[in-house]
Amino acid sequence: MKNMDTYLKQYYEELQVKTDTQGFKKLEPNNGEKVIVLSLGKEKQGNNNIEVTGIEKQGDRTLINVKTFDNQSTEKNPTIIILLDKLGENVVVKDTDGTVYEEVK
């Protein structure tokens, strides 16, 4: 991807319109950085923010732990962009409430 910032902005704006999109998307720009975009979906809209609580690399698996909480967010589809140096083949994104988010294709 030539201009990742522009793509991320467009994808973020798309998620705010397509509020039924829930899960994570893996992106790999040309500079080698790894990007995970997690959206919670419209069920969590209105006052929900997302915080990364930990990232664990286990062989070919990357486990990303997140926490959602009330915080006057105005996002229609609460979203977080996570930048990583390395990303395993298998990614698991799990909320502290037990929710495991699926990959968005």
Side-chain angles (χ1 to χ4, degrees):
M1 286 175 208
K2 290 187 178 175
N3 191 336
M4 191 61 169
D5 290 341
T6 300
Y7 179 80
L8 280 174
K9 184 177 183 208
Q10 288 173 342
Y11 184 61
Y12 173 82
E13 289 171 358
E14 179 183 313
L15 289 172
Q16 298 312 301
V17 174
K18 295 181 179 179
T19 57
D20 57 336
T21 303
Q22 178 184 30
F24 70 91
K25 185 169 187 159
K26 293 192 286 188
L27 305 169
E28 295 188 34
N30 294 335
N31 64 3
E33 210 169 42
K34 312 297 185 214
V35 179
I36 295 287
V37 181
L38 171 65
S39 57
L40 302 183
K42 63 185 170 192
E43 298 81 29
K44 301 270 188 164
Q45 88 176 34
N47 303 336
N48 266 285
N49 276 4
I50 313 164
E51 175 182 297
V52 175
T53 60
I55 299 172
E56 297 175 46
K57 183 96 169 69
Q58 303 166 337
D60 70 344
R61 185 175 117 169
T62 301
L63 176 61
I64 302 172
N65 293 301
V66 297
K67 175 183 170 185
T68 57
F69 56 94
D70 291 341
N71 189 19
Q72 304 303 313
S73 173
T74 58
E75 291 178 295
K76 290 182 171 77
N77 185 350
T79 302
I80 188 170
I81 297 170
I82 306 163
L83 303 175
L84 303 159
D85 292 330
K86 294 180 181 176
L87 193 60
E89 184 67 29
N90 301 307
V91 176
V92 177
V93 181
K94 186 175 180 182
D95 199 331
T96 54
D97 69 5
T99 303
V100 176
Y101 295 96
E102 299 293 323
E103 184 171 0
V104 175
K105 300 293 180 184

